[in-house]
Amino acid sequence: MKVTLESYGGLAAAANLRRRPHVLNTDDLSESAAAELARLVDAAVATPEEEQNGRARDAMSYVITVEDGDRSTVLTQSDTAKSPEFTALLARLRVHFAQQR
Protein backbone atom coordinates (compact mmCIF):
# COMPACT_ATOMS: atom_id res chain seq x y z
CA MET A 1 0.00 0.00 0.00
CA LYS A 2 1.24 3.49 -0.83
CA VAL A 3 -0.02 6.51 1.10
CA THR A 4 0.58 10.06 -0.13
CA LEU A 5 0.05 13.17 2.01
CA GLU A 6 -0.33 16.63 0.50
CA SER A 7 -0.97 19.81 2.51
CA TYR A 8 -2.35 23.08 1.19
CA GLY A 9 -3.10 26.52 2.58
CA GLY A 10 -2.25 27.87 5.99
CA LEU A 11 -0.11 30.83 6.85
CA ALA A 12 2.71 29.63 4.59
CA ALA A 13 0.49 28.81 1.61
CA ALA A 14 2.96 30.11 -0.98
CA ALA A 15 5.81 28.02 0.45
CA ASN A 16 3.61 24.90 0.55
CA LEU A 17 2.92 25.16 -3.20
CA ARG A 18 6.51 24.20 -3.93
CA ARG A 19 6.58 21.24 -1.57
CA ARG A 20 6.51 17.76 -2.95
CA PRO A 21 3.98 15.39 -1.43
CA HIS A 22 5.14 12.97 1.25
CA VAL A 23 4.92 9.31 0.21
CA LEU A 24 4.90 6.27 2.48
CA ASN A 25 5.11 2.73 1.17
CA THR A 26 4.06 0.07 3.68
CA ASP A 27 6.69 -2.27 2.21
CA ASP A 28 9.22 -0.06 4.02
CA LEU A 29 7.52 -0.54 7.41
CA SER A 30 7.62 -3.31 9.96
CA GLU A 31 4.69 -5.71 9.87
CA SER A 32 3.10 -4.18 12.98
CA ALA A 33 3.53 -0.59 11.73
CA ALA A 34 2.02 -1.54 8.36
CA ALA A 35 -0.93 -3.20 10.13
CA GLU A 36 -1.47 -0.10 12.30
CA LEU A 37 -1.42 2.14 9.24
CA ALA A 38 -3.88 -0.13 7.42
CA ARG A 39 -6.21 0.01 10.44
CA LEU A 40 -6.04 3.82 10.52
CA VAL A 41 -6.69 4.04 6.77
CA ASP A 42 -9.69 1.68 7.01
CA ALA A 43 -11.18 3.74 9.85
CA ALA A 44 -10.70 7.04 7.99
CA VAL A 45 -12.17 5.64 4.76
CA ALA A 46 -15.20 4.24 6.60
CA THR A 47 -16.01 7.58 8.26
CA PRO A 48 -17.94 10.19 6.26
CA GLU A 49 -16.25 13.53 5.78
CA GLU A 50 -17.16 16.24 8.28
CA GLU A 51 -19.34 19.03 6.96
CA GLN A 52 -17.42 22.25 6.39
CA ASN A 53 -18.51 25.14 8.64
CA GLY A 54 -17.23 27.90 6.37
CA ARG A 55 -13.65 28.70 5.54
CA ALA A 56 -10.95 29.95 7.80
CA ARG A 57 -8.36 32.16 6.12
CA ASP A 58 -5.37 30.28 7.47
CA ALA A 59 -6.83 26.77 7.61
CA MET A 60 -4.81 23.91 6.20
CA SER A 61 -6.33 21.38 3.83
CA TYR A 62 -5.05 17.82 3.56
CA VAL A 63 -5.29 15.26 0.80
CA ILE A 64 -4.39 11.67 1.67
CA THR A 65 -4.29 9.31 -1.30
CA VAL A 66 -4.21 5.59 -0.60
CA GLU A 67 -3.19 3.23 -3.40
CA ASP A 68 -3.70 -0.43 -2.61
CA GLY A 69 -3.28 -2.72 -5.59
CA ASP A 70 -5.57 -1.43 -8.32
CA ARG A 71 -7.74 0.55 -5.86
CA SER A 72 -7.16 4.23 -5.16
CA THR A 73 -8.94 6.23 -2.46
CA VAL A 74 -8.64 9.98 -1.92
CA LEU A 75 -9.47 11.52 1.46
CA THR A 76 -9.73 15.32 1.67
CA GLN A 77 -10.35 17.26 4.87
CA SER A 78 -9.27 20.53 6.45
CA ASP A 79 -8.51 22.07 9.81
CA THR A 80 -12.06 23.46 9.91
CA ALA A 81 -13.61 19.98 9.71
CA LYS A 82 -11.64 16.78 10.35
CA SER A 83 -13.09 13.54 11.60
CA PRO A 84 -11.30 11.96 14.57
CA GLU A 85 -10.36 9.02 12.32
CA PHE A 86 -8.83 11.31 9.68
CA THR A 87 -7.02 13.21 12.44
CA ALA A 88 -5.54 9.95 13.82
CA LEU A 89 -4.32 8.92 10.34
CA LEU A 90 -2.88 12.38 9.69
CA ALA A 91 -1.08 12.36 13.05
CA ARG A 92 0.47 8.95 12.35
CA LEU A 93 1.65 10.07 8.92
CA ARG A 94 3.15 13.26 10.37
CA VAL A 95 5.09 11.26 12.97
CA HIS A 96 6.45 8.95 10.28
CA PHE A 97 7.50 11.80 7.97
CA ALA A 98 9.08 13.74 10.85
CA GLN A 99 11.22 10.72 11.67
CA GLN A 100 12.41 10.58 8.05
CA ARG A 101 14.00 14.03 8.19
Side-chain angles (χ1 to χ4, degrees), residues 15-87:
N16 286 335
L17 288 175
R18 295 188 187 112
R19 279 197 174 155
R20 295 172 53 164
H22 296 284
V23 179
L24 171 78
N25 191 325
T26 56
D27 291 342
D28 299 333
L29 300 176
S30 69
E31 190 173 315
S32 62
E36 176 194 4
L37 185 63
R39 182 187 59 76
L40 291 169
V41 165
D42 289 344
V45 168
T47 305
E49 289 184 22
E50 297 276 324
E51 189 171 312
Q52 300 288 332
N53 294 333
R55 297 182 62 134
R57 292 182 81 165
D58 60 350
M60 292 290 293
S61 295
Y62 309 95
V63 178
I64 298 174
T65 304
V66 180
E67 297 174 51
D68 193 6
D70 59 351
R71 185 179 63 163
S72 181
T73 304
V74 178
L75 304 168
T76 305
Q77 295 192 21
S78 73
D79 283 342
T80 59
K82 288 187 296 196
S83 70
E85 295 80 5
F86 185 92
T87 301

Short mmCIF file of all heavy atoms in Angstrom, two decimals, residues 15-87:
data_model
loop_
_atom_site.label_atom_id
_atom_site.label_comp_id
_atom_site.label_asym_id
_atom_site.label_seq_id
_atom_site.Cartn_x
_atom_site.Cartn_y
_atom_site.Cartn_z
N ALA A 15 4.69 28.96 0.28
CA ALA A 15 5.81 28.02 0.45
C ALA A 15 5.34 26.58 0.26
O ALA A 15 6.08 25.75 -0.27
CB ALA A 15 6.43 28.19 1.82
N ASN A 16 4.12 26.27 0.68
CA ASN A 16 3.61 24.90 0.55
C ASN A 16 3.36 24.50 -0.90
O ASN A 16 3.36 23.32 -1.22
CB ASN A 16 2.32 24.73 1.35
CG ASN A 16 2.57 24.66 2.83
OD1 ASN A 16 3.65 24.30 3.27
ND2 ASN A 16 1.58 25.04 3.62
N LEU A 17 3.15 25.47 -1.78
CA LEU A 17 2.92 25.16 -3.20
C LEU A 17 4.11 24.47 -3.83
O LEU A 17 3.97 23.70 -4.76
CB LEU A 17 2.58 26.43 -3.98
CG LEU A 17 1.20 27.02 -3.71
CD1 LEU A 17 1.04 28.34 -4.46
CD2 LEU A 17 0.10 26.04 -4.09
N ARG A 18 5.29 24.77 -3.34
CA ARG A 18 6.51 24.20 -3.93
C ARG A 18 6.90 22.86 -3.31
O ARG A 18 7.81 22.21 -3.78
CB ARG A 18 7.65 25.20 -3.74
CG ARG A 18 7.42 26.47 -4.50
CD ARG A 18 8.64 27.36 -4.46
NE ARG A 18 8.30 28.62 -5.06
CZ ARG A 18 8.21 29.76 -4.41
NH1 ARG A 18 8.45 29.80 -3.12
NH2 ARG A 18 7.90 30.86 -5.03
N ARG A 19 6.23 22.49 -2.25
CA ARG A 19 6.58 21.24 -1.57
C ARG A 19 6.08 20.03 -2.34
O ARG A 19 4.97 20.02 -2.84
CB ARG A 19 5.94 21.19 -0.19
CG ARG A 19 6.69 21.94 0.82
CD ARG A 19 6.23 21.49 2.18
NE ARG A 19 7.06 22.13 3.16
CZ ARG A 19 6.70 22.36 4.39
NH1 ARG A 19 5.51 21.99 4.79
NH2 ARG A 19 7.52 22.94 5.21
N ARG A 20 6.91 19.03 -2.35
CA ARG A 20 6.51 17.76 -2.95
C ARG A 20 5.69 16.99 -1.92
O ARG A 20 5.92 17.12 -0.72
CB ARG A 20 7.73 16.97 -3.36
CG ARG A 20 8.51 17.68 -4.47
CD ARG A 20 9.80 17.03 -4.73
NE ARG A 20 9.62 15.59 -4.98
CZ ARG A 20 10.52 14.83 -5.54
NH1 ARG A 20 11.67 15.33 -5.89
NH2 ARG A 20 10.29 13.55 -5.74
N PRO A 21 4.75 16.18 -2.38
CA PRO A 21 3.98 15.39 -1.43
C PRO A 21 4.86 14.37 -0.71
O PRO A 21 5.88 13.93 -1.24
CB PRO A 21 2.93 14.69 -2.29
CG PRO A 21 3.37 14.86 -3.69
CD PRO A 21 4.36 15.96 -3.75
N HIS A 22 4.45 14.02 0.50
CA HIS A 22 5.14 12.97 1.25
C HIS A 22 4.54 11.63 0.84
O HIS A 22 3.32 11.50 0.69
CB HIS A 22 4.93 13.16 2.75
CG HIS A 22 5.53 14.41 3.29
ND1 HIS A 22 6.87 14.55 3.51
CD2 HIS A 22 4.97 15.58 3.66
CE1 HIS A 22 7.12 15.74 4.00
NE2 HIS A 22 5.97 16.39 4.09
N VAL A 23 5.39 10.63 0.66
CA VAL A 23 4.92 9.31 0.21
C VAL A 23 5.45 8.25 1.18
O VAL A 23 6.62 8.24 1.53
CB VAL A 23 5.41 9.01 -1.22
CG1 VAL A 23 4.94 7.63 -1.65
CG2 VAL A 23 4.93 10.08 -2.19
N LEU A 24 4.55 7.37 1.58
CA LEU A 24 4.90 6.27 2.48
C LEU A 24 4.48 4.96 1.81
O LEU A 24 3.33 4.83 1.39
CB LEU A 24 4.16 6.43 3.81
CG LEU A 24 4.25 5.26 4.77
CD1 LEU A 24 5.60 5.29 5.48
CD2 LEU A 24 3.14 5.34 5.79
N ASN A 25 5.41 4.05 1.72
CA ASN A 25 5.11 2.73 1.17
C ASN A 25 5.17 1.74 2.33
O ASN A 25 6.19 1.65 3.02
CB ASN A 25 6.13 2.35 0.10
CG ASN A 25 5.72 1.13 -0.68
OD1 ASN A 25 5.12 0.21 -0.14
ND2 ASN A 25 6.04 1.12 -1.95
N THR A 26 4.10 0.99 2.53
CA THR A 26 4.06 0.07 3.68
C THR A 26 5.08 -1.05 3.55
O THR A 26 5.40 -1.69 4.55
CB THR A 26 2.66 -0.52 3.89
OG1 THR A 26 2.23 -1.18 2.69
CG2 THR A 26 1.67 0.55 4.27
N ASP A 27 5.62 -1.27 2.36
CA ASP A 27 6.69 -2.27 2.21
C ASP A 27 7.94 -1.87 3.00
O ASP A 27 8.76 -2.72 3.33
CB ASP A 27 7.06 -2.45 0.74
CG ASP A 27 5.96 -3.11 -0.07
OD1 ASP A 27 5.06 -3.74 0.54
OD2 ASP A 27 5.99 -2.99 -1.31
N ASP A 28 8.06 -0.56 3.29
CA ASP A 28 9.22 -0.06 4.02
C ASP A 28 9.02 -0.08 5.54
O ASP A 28 9.91 0.33 6.28
CB ASP A 28 9.52 1.38 3.58
CG ASP A 28 9.86 1.47 2.10
OD1 ASP A 28 10.34 0.46 1.54
OD2 ASP A 28 9.62 2.54 1.52
N LEU A 29 7.85 -0.53 5.99
CA LEU A 29 7.52 -0.54 7.41
C LEU A 29 7.61 -1.95 7.99
O LEU A 29 7.53 -2.93 7.25
CB LEU A 29 6.10 -0.02 7.63
CG LEU A 29 5.79 1.40 7.17
CD1 LEU A 29 4.31 1.70 7.39
CD2 LEU A 29 6.66 2.41 7.91
N SER A 30 7.71 -2.01 9.30
CA SER A 30 7.62 -3.31 9.96
C SER A 30 6.19 -3.83 9.79
O SER A 30 5.27 -3.07 9.46
CB SER A 30 7.94 -3.17 11.45
OG SER A 30 6.90 -2.44 12.10
N GLU A 31 6.01 -5.11 10.03
CA GLU A 31 4.69 -5.71 9.87
C GLU A 31 3.66 -5.06 10.80
O GLU A 31 2.54 -4.77 10.39
CB GLU A 31 4.78 -7.21 10.15
CG GLU A 31 3.52 -7.97 9.78
CD GLU A 31 3.71 -9.47 9.92
OE1 GLU A 31 4.74 -9.99 9.47
OE2 GLU A 31 2.79 -10.10 10.48
N SER A 32 4.04 -4.78 12.04
CA SER A 32 3.10 -4.18 12.98
C SER A 32 2.79 -2.73 12.61
O SER A 32 1.63 -2.29 12.73
CB SER A 32 3.64 -4.25 14.41
OG SER A 32 4.84 -3.53 14.54
N ALA A 33 3.77 -1.98 12.15
CA ALA A 33 3.53 -0.59 11.73
C ALA A 33 2.65 -0.55 10.49
O ALA A 33 1.77 0.31 10.38
CB ALA A 33 4.86 0.12 11.47
N ALA A 34 2.85 -1.47 9.56
CA ALA A 34 2.02 -1.54 8.36
C ALA A 34 0.59 -1.90 8.72
O ALA A 34 -0.37 -1.34 8.17
CB ALA A 34 2.59 -2.55 7.37
N ALA A 35 0.41 -2.81 9.69
CA ALA A 35 -0.93 -3.20 10.13
C ALA A 35 -1.64 -2.03 10.82
O ALA A 35 -2.84 -1.80 10.61
CB ALA A 35 -0.85 -4.40 11.06
N GLU A 36 -0.89 -1.27 11.63
CA GLU A 36 -1.47 -0.10 12.30
C GLU A 36 -1.91 0.94 11.26
O GLU A 36 -3.01 1.49 11.35
CB GLU A 36 -0.46 0.54 13.25
CG GLU A 36 -1.00 1.82 13.88
CD GLU A 36 0.07 2.65 14.56
OE1 GLU A 36 1.26 2.30 14.51
OE2 GLU A 36 -0.30 3.68 15.14
N LEU A 37 -1.08 1.19 10.27
CA LEU A 37 -1.42 2.14 9.24
C LEU A 37 -2.65 1.69 8.46
O LEU A 37 -3.55 2.47 8.19
CB LEU A 37 -0.24 2.37 8.29
CG LEU A 37 -0.45 3.46 7.25
CD1 LEU A 37 -0.66 4.82 7.91
CD2 LEU A 37 0.71 3.52 6.29
N ALA A 38 -2.72 0.41 8.12
CA ALA A 38 -3.88 -0.13 7.42
C ALA A 38 -5.15 0.03 8.25
O ALA A 38 -6.22 0.39 7.71
CB ALA A 38 -3.66 -1.60 7.07
N ARG A 39 -5.05 -0.17 9.56
CA ARG A 39 -6.21 0.01 10.44
C ARG A 39 -6.66 1.46 10.45
O ARG A 39 -7.86 1.77 10.36
CB ARG A 39 -5.85 -0.45 11.86
CG ARG A 39 -7.00 -0.34 12.85
CD ARG A 39 -6.56 -0.63 14.27
NE ARG A 39 -5.52 0.27 14.77
CZ ARG A 39 -5.71 1.53 15.16
NH1 ARG A 39 -6.91 2.06 15.08
NH2 ARG A 39 -4.72 2.25 15.62
N LEU A 40 -5.71 2.40 10.53
CA LEU A 40 -6.04 3.82 10.52
C LEU A 40 -6.66 4.24 9.19
O LEU A 40 -7.62 5.03 9.16
CB LEU A 40 -4.80 4.66 10.82
CG LEU A 40 -4.24 4.55 12.24
CD1 LEU A 40 -2.87 5.22 12.32
CD2 LEU A 40 -5.21 5.16 13.23
N VAL A 41 -6.13 3.73 8.09
CA VAL A 41 -6.69 4.04 6.77
C VAL A 41 -8.11 3.51 6.68
O VAL A 41 -9.03 4.23 6.25
CB VAL A 41 -5.81 3.44 5.65
CG1 VAL A 41 -6.55 3.43 4.32
CG2 VAL A 41 -4.50 4.21 5.52
N ASP A 42 -8.34 2.27 7.08
CA ASP A 42 -9.69 1.68 7.01
C ASP A 42 -10.69 2.50 7.82
O ASP A 42 -11.81 2.74 7.37
CB ASP A 42 -9.67 0.24 7.51
CG ASP A 42 -8.97 -0.72 6.56
OD1 ASP A 42 -8.75 -0.34 5.38
OD2 ASP A 42 -8.63 -1.83 6.99
N ALA A 43 -10.29 2.94 9.00
CA ALA A 43 -11.18 3.74 9.85
C ALA A 43 -11.49 5.09 9.20
O ALA A 43 -12.65 5.54 9.20
CB ALA A 43 -10.55 3.95 11.22
N ALA A 44 -10.48 5.74 8.63
CA ALA A 44 -10.70 7.04 7.99
C ALA A 44 -11.56 6.92 6.75
O ALA A 44 -12.43 7.75 6.49
CB ALA A 44 -9.35 7.69 7.64
N VAL A 45 -11.37 5.86 5.98
CA VAL A 45 -12.17 5.64 4.76
C VAL A 45 -13.63 5.36 5.12
O VAL A 45 -14.55 5.82 4.45
CB VAL A 45 -11.57 4.49 3.92
CG1 VAL A 45 -12.52 4.06 2.82
CG2 VAL A 45 -10.24 4.92 3.33
N ALA A 46 -13.85 4.64 6.20
CA ALA A 46 -15.20 4.24 6.60
C ALA A 46 -16.00 5.39 7.21
O ALA A 46 -17.23 5.29 7.31
CB ALA A 46 -15.13 3.08 7.58
N THR A 47 -15.34 6.46 7.60
CA THR A 47 -16.01 7.58 8.26
C THR A 47 -16.33 8.67 7.24
O THR A 47 -15.44 9.12 6.52
CB THR A 47 -15.10 8.17 9.36
OG1 THR A 47 -14.74 7.12 10.24
CG2 THR A 47 -15.80 9.27 10.12
N PRO A 48 -17.59 9.10 7.20
CA PRO A 48 -17.94 10.19 6.26
C PRO A 48 -17.18 11.47 6.60
O PRO A 48 -16.84 11.71 7.76
CB PRO A 48 -19.43 10.39 6.47
CG PRO A 48 -19.89 9.34 7.40
CD PRO A 48 -18.71 8.67 8.00
N GLU A 49 -16.93 12.26 5.57
CA GLU A 49 -16.25 13.53 5.78
C GLU A 49 -17.11 14.45 6.62
O GLU A 49 -18.33 14.46 6.51
CB GLU A 49 -15.94 14.21 4.44
CG GLU A 49 -14.88 13.52 3.64
CD GLU A 49 -14.52 14.26 2.36
OE1 GLU A 49 -14.78 15.48 2.29
OE2 GLU A 49 -13.99 13.62 1.46
N GLU A 50 -16.46 15.25 7.47
CA GLU A 50 -17.16 16.24 8.28
C GLU A 50 -17.67 17.35 7.37
O GLU A 50 -17.03 17.69 6.37
CB GLU A 50 -16.20 16.84 9.32
CG GLU A 50 -15.67 15.83 10.31
CD GLU A 50 -16.61 15.60 11.47
OE1 GLU A 50 -17.26 16.55 11.91
OE2 GLU A 50 -16.68 14.45 11.92
N GLU A 51 -18.81 17.92 7.73
CA GLU A 51 -19.34 19.03 6.96
C GLU A 51 -18.55 20.29 7.26
O GLU A 51 -18.24 20.58 8.42
CB GLU A 51 -20.81 19.25 7.31
CG GLU A 51 -21.49 20.24 6.40
CD GLU A 51 -22.99 20.26 6.63
OE1 GLU A 51 -23.58 19.17 6.68
OE2 GLU A 51 -23.53 21.36 6.75
N GLN A 52 -18.20 21.03 6.22
CA GLN A 52 -17.42 22.25 6.39
C GLN A 52 -18.30 23.35 6.99
O GLN A 52 -19.42 23.56 6.55
CB GLN A 52 -16.88 22.73 5.03
CG GLN A 52 -15.97 21.74 4.35
CD GLN A 52 -14.62 21.63 5.01
OE1 GLN A 52 -14.13 22.56 5.62
NE2 GLN A 52 -14.00 20.47 4.89
N ASN A 53 -17.79 24.05 8.00
CA ASN A 53 -18.51 25.14 8.64
C ASN A 53 -17.95 26.48 8.16
O ASN A 53 -17.63 27.33 8.96
CB ASN A 53 -18.38 25.05 10.17
CG ASN A 53 -19.07 23.84 10.70
OD1 ASN A 53 -20.01 23.36 10.11
ND2 ASN A 53 -18.61 23.35 11.83
N GLY A 54 -17.83 26.67 6.88
CA GLY A 54 -17.23 27.90 6.37
C GLY A 54 -15.74 27.72 6.20
O GLY A 54 -15.19 26.66 6.43
N ARG A 55 -15.08 28.78 5.79
CA ARG A 55 -13.65 28.70 5.54
C ARG A 55 -12.91 29.62 6.48
O ARG A 55 -13.32 30.73 6.73
CB ARG A 55 -13.38 29.11 4.09
CG ARG A 55 -14.01 28.16 3.09
CD ARG A 55 -13.66 28.58 1.72
NE ARG A 55 -12.23 28.50 1.56
CZ ARG A 55 -11.61 27.96 0.55
NH1 ARG A 55 -12.31 27.45 -0.41
NH2 ARG A 55 -10.31 27.95 0.47
N ALA A 56 -11.83 29.13 6.98
CA ALA A 56 -10.95 29.95 7.80
C ALA A 56 -9.79 30.39 6.90
O ALA A 56 -9.27 29.59 6.13
CB ALA A 56 -10.43 29.15 8.99
N ARG A 57 -9.39 31.61 7.01
CA ARG A 57 -8.36 32.16 6.12
C ARG A 57 -7.05 31.38 6.17
O ARG A 57 -6.39 31.22 5.16
CB ARG A 57 -8.08 33.61 6.47
CG ARG A 57 -9.24 34.51 6.17
CD ARG A 57 -8.87 35.89 6.49
NE ARG A 57 -8.09 36.40 5.37
CZ ARG A 57 -7.83 37.67 5.19
NH1 ARG A 57 -8.24 38.55 6.04
NH2 ARG A 57 -7.13 38.05 4.15
N ASP A 58 -6.67 30.94 7.33
CA ASP A 58 -5.37 30.28 7.47
C ASP A 58 -5.49 28.78 7.72
O ASP A 58 -4.57 28.16 8.22
CB ASP A 58 -4.55 30.94 8.56
CG ASP A 58 -5.23 30.90 9.91
OD1 ASP A 58 -6.41 30.52 9.98
OD2 ASP A 58 -4.58 31.24 10.91
N ALA A 59 -6.63 28.20 7.38
CA ALA A 59 -6.83 26.77 7.61
C ALA A 59 -6.03 25.95 6.59
O ALA A 59 -5.91 26.32 5.43
CB ALA A 59 -8.30 26.41 7.51
N MET A 60 -5.50 24.85 7.07
CA MET A 60 -4.81 23.91 6.20
C MET A 60 -5.81 22.91 5.65
O MET A 60 -6.77 22.54 6.33
CB MET A 60 -3.74 23.15 6.98
CG MET A 60 -2.58 23.99 7.44
SD MET A 60 -1.52 24.52 6.10
CE MET A 60 -0.83 22.96 5.56
N SER A 61 -5.57 22.46 4.43
CA SER A 61 -6.33 21.38 3.83
C SER A 61 -5.37 20.23 3.57
O SER A 61 -4.19 20.46 3.26
CB SER A 61 -6.95 21.82 2.50
OG SER A 61 -7.91 22.82 2.73
N TYR A 62 -5.88 19.00 3.69
CA TYR A 62 -5.05 17.82 3.56
C TYR A 62 -5.68 16.86 2.57
O TYR A 62 -6.89 16.64 2.60
CB TYR A 62 -4.89 17.12 4.91
CG TYR A 62 -4.46 18.05 6.00
CD1 TYR A 62 -5.38 18.65 6.84
CD2 TYR A 62 -3.11 18.37 6.17
CE1 TYR A 62 -4.99 19.53 7.83
CE2 TYR A 62 -2.70 19.25 7.16
CZ TYR A 62 -3.65 19.83 7.98
OH TYR A 62 -3.25 20.71 8.95
N VAL A 63 -4.84 16.29 1.73
CA VAL A 63 -5.29 15.26 0.80
C VAL A 63 -4.43 14.03 1.06
O VAL A 63 -3.20 14.08 0.95
CB VAL A 63 -5.14 15.71 -0.67
CG1 VAL A 63 -5.57 14.60 -1.61
CG2 VAL A 63 -5.94 16.97 -0.93
N ILE A 64 -5.08 12.94 1.45
CA ILE A 64 -4.39 11.67 1.67
C ILE A 64 -4.88 10.72 0.60
O ILE A 64 -6.08 10.44 0.51
CB ILE A 64 -4.67 11.11 3.07
CG1 ILE A 64 -4.16 12.07 4.14
CG2 ILE A 64 -4.04 9.72 3.23
CD1 ILE A 64 -4.52 11.67 5.56
N THR A 65 -3.97 10.26 -0.23
CA THR A 65 -4.29 9.31 -1.30
C THR A 65 -3.73 7.95 -0.91
O THR A 65 -2.55 7.84 -0.58
CB THR A 65 -3.69 9.77 -2.64
OG1 THR A 65 -4.16 11.10 -2.92
CG2 THR A 65 -4.10 8.84 -3.77
N VAL A 66 -4.60 6.95 -0.96
CA VAL A 66 -4.21 5.59 -0.60
C VAL A 66 -4.33 4.72 -1.83
O VAL A 66 -5.41 4.61 -2.42
CB VAL A 66 -5.12 5.03 0.52
CG1 VAL A 66 -4.70 3.63 0.89
CG2 VAL A 66 -5.12 5.96 1.73
N GLU A 67 -3.21 4.14 -2.25
CA GLU A 67 -3.19 3.23 -3.40
C GLU A 67 -2.89 1.83 -2.87
O GLU A 67 -1.85 1.61 -2.27
CB GLU A 67 -2.14 3.67 -4.40
CG GLU A 67 -2.42 5.04 -5.00
CD GLU A 67 -1.30 5.53 -5.87
OE1 GLU A 67 -0.87 4.77 -6.77
OE2 GLU A 67 -0.82 6.66 -5.62
N ASP A 68 -3.84 0.95 -3.09
CA ASP A 68 -3.70 -0.43 -2.61
C ASP A 68 -4.06 -1.35 -3.76
O ASP A 68 -5.24 -1.53 -4.07
CB ASP A 68 -4.60 -0.66 -1.41
CG ASP A 68 -4.27 -1.95 -0.68
OD1 ASP A 68 -3.27 -2.61 -1.03
OD2 ASP A 68 -5.02 -2.28 0.27
N GLY A 69 -3.03 -1.90 -4.40
CA GLY A 69 -3.28 -2.72 -5.59
C GLY A 69 -3.82 -1.84 -6.70
O GLY A 69 -3.26 -0.80 -7.01
N ASP A 70 -4.96 -2.22 -7.25
CA ASP A 70 -5.57 -1.43 -8.32
C ASP A 70 -6.63 -0.47 -7.79
O ASP A 70 -7.34 0.17 -8.56
CB ASP A 70 -6.17 -2.35 -9.39
CG ASP A 70 -7.23 -3.29 -8.84
OD1 ASP A 70 -7.40 -3.35 -7.62
OD2 ASP A 70 -7.89 -3.96 -9.66
N ARG A 71 -6.75 -0.33 -6.48
CA ARG A 71 -7.74 0.55 -5.86
C ARG A 71 -7.06 1.81 -5.35
O ARG A 71 -6.01 1.75 -4.71
CB ARG A 71 -8.42 -0.19 -4.71
CG ARG A 71 -9.55 0.59 -4.07
CD ARG A 71 -10.16 -0.22 -2.98
NE ARG A 71 -9.15 -0.45 -1.95
CZ ARG A 71 -9.39 -0.84 -0.73
NH1 ARG A 71 -10.62 -1.11 -0.36
NH2 ARG A 71 -8.43 -1.02 0.14
N SER A 72 -7.68 2.95 -5.63
CA SER A 72 -7.16 4.23 -5.16
C SER A 72 -8.28 4.98 -4.44
O SER A 72 -9.39 5.08 -4.96
CB SER A 72 -6.64 5.06 -6.34
OG SER A 72 -6.12 6.28 -5.89
N THR A 73 -7.97 5.49 -3.25
CA THR A 73 -8.94 6.23 -2.46
C THR A 73 -8.33 7.57 -2.09
O THR A 73 -7.18 7.63 -1.66
CB THR A 73 -9.29 5.46 -1.16
OG1 THR A 73 -9.76 4.15 -1.52
CG2 THR A 73 -10.35 6.17 -0.36
N VAL A 74 -9.11 8.64 -2.25
CA VAL A 74 -8.64 9.98 -1.92
C VAL A 74 -9.49 10.52 -0.77
O VAL A 74 -10.72 10.58 -0.88
CB VAL A 74 -8.71 10.92 -3.14
CG1 VAL A 74 -8.26 12.33 -2.76
CG2 VAL A 74 -7.88 10.38 -4.28
N LEU A 75 -8.82 10.92 0.30
CA LEU A 75 -9.47 11.52 1.46
C LEU A 75 -9.06 12.98 1.53
O LEU A 75 -7.86 13.28 1.50
CB LEU A 75 -9.06 10.82 2.74
CG LEU A 75 -9.27 9.31 2.80
CD1 LEU A 75 -8.55 8.72 4.01
CD2 LEU A 75 -10.75 9.01 2.86
N THR A 76 -10.03 13.89 1.62
CA THR A 76 -9.73 15.32 1.67
C THR A 76 -10.47 15.94 2.84
O THR A 76 -11.69 15.82 2.92
CB THR A 76 -10.17 16.02 0.37
OG1 THR A 76 -9.54 15.37 -0.74
CG2 THR A 76 -9.79 17.48 0.38
N GLN A 77 -9.73 16.56 3.74
CA GLN A 77 -10.35 17.26 4.87
C GLN A 77 -9.50 18.47 5.20
O GLN A 77 -8.42 18.65 4.65
CB GLN A 77 -10.52 16.32 6.07
CG GLN A 77 -11.51 15.21 5.75
CD GLN A 77 -11.96 14.41 6.94
OE1 GLN A 77 -11.87 14.86 8.08
NE2 GLN A 77 -12.43 13.20 6.69
N SER A 78 -10.01 19.32 6.09
CA SER A 78 -9.27 20.53 6.45
C SER A 78 -9.30 20.75 7.95
O SER A 78 -10.01 20.05 8.68
CB SER A 78 -9.88 21.74 5.74
OG SER A 78 -11.11 22.09 6.34
N ASP A 79 -8.55 21.74 8.39
CA ASP A 79 -8.51 22.07 9.81
C ASP A 79 -9.87 22.50 10.33
O ASP A 79 -10.13 22.38 11.52
CB ASP A 79 -7.49 23.18 10.08
CG ASP A 79 -6.06 22.68 10.07
OD1 ASP A 79 -5.85 21.46 10.20
OD2 ASP A 79 -5.15 23.52 9.93
N THR A 80 -10.74 23.01 9.47
CA THR A 80 -12.06 23.46 9.91
C THR A 80 -13.02 22.30 10.12
O THR A 80 -14.03 22.46 10.78
CB THR A 80 -12.67 24.47 8.93
OG1 THR A 80 -12.80 23.86 7.65
CG2 THR A 80 -11.84 25.73 8.84
N ALA A 81 -12.72 21.14 9.55
CA ALA A 81 -13.61 19.98 9.71
C ALA A 81 -12.83 18.71 9.42
O ALA A 81 -12.65 18.34 8.26
CB ALA A 81 -14.80 20.10 8.78
N LYS A 82 -12.35 18.05 10.49
CA LYS A 82 -11.64 16.78 10.35
C LYS A 82 -12.31 15.77 11.26
O LYS A 82 -12.58 16.07 12.43
CB LYS A 82 -10.17 16.90 10.76
CG LYS A 82 -9.30 17.66 9.84
CD LYS A 82 -7.84 17.57 10.25
CE LYS A 82 -7.63 18.21 11.60
NZ LYS A 82 -6.24 18.50 11.92
N SER A 83 -12.55 14.60 10.75
CA SER A 83 -13.09 13.54 11.60
C SER A 83 -11.98 13.06 12.53
O SER A 83 -10.79 13.19 12.21
CB SER A 83 -13.61 12.38 10.75
OG SER A 83 -12.53 11.69 10.14
N PRO A 84 -12.33 12.49 13.68
CA PRO A 84 -11.30 11.96 14.57
C PRO A 84 -10.47 10.87 13.88
O PRO A 84 -9.27 10.77 14.13
CB PRO A 84 -12.11 11.37 15.74
CG PRO A 84 -13.41 12.12 15.72
CD PRO A 84 -13.67 12.43 14.27
N GLU A 85 -11.07 10.08 13.02
CA GLU A 85 -10.36 9.02 12.32
C GLU A 85 -9.35 9.59 11.32
O GLU A 85 -8.22 9.10 11.22
CB GLU A 85 -11.35 8.10 11.61
CG GLU A 85 -12.25 7.33 12.54
CD GLU A 85 -13.44 8.13 13.07
OE1 GLU A 85 -13.65 9.30 12.66
OE2 GLU A 85 -14.16 7.60 13.93
N PHE A 86 -9.74 10.64 10.60
CA PHE A 86 -8.83 11.31 9.68
C PHE A 86 -7.69 11.94 10.47
O PHE A 86 -6.52 11.86 10.09
CB PHE A 86 -9.58 12.36 8.86
CG PHE A 86 -8.73 13.01 7.79
CD1 PHE A 86 -8.71 12.49 6.51
CD2 PHE A 86 -7.98 14.13 8.06
CE1 PHE A 86 -7.93 13.08 5.51
CE2 PHE A 86 -7.20 14.73 7.08
CZ PHE A 86 -7.18 14.20 5.80
N THR A 87 -8.02 12.57 11.59
CA THR A 87 -7.02 13.21 12.44
C THR A 87 -6.00 12.19 12.94
O THR A 87 -4.80 12.47 12.96
CB THR A 87 -7.70 13.92 13.63
OG1 THR A 87 -8.61 14.90 13.11
CG2 THR A 87 -6.69 14.60 14.54
#
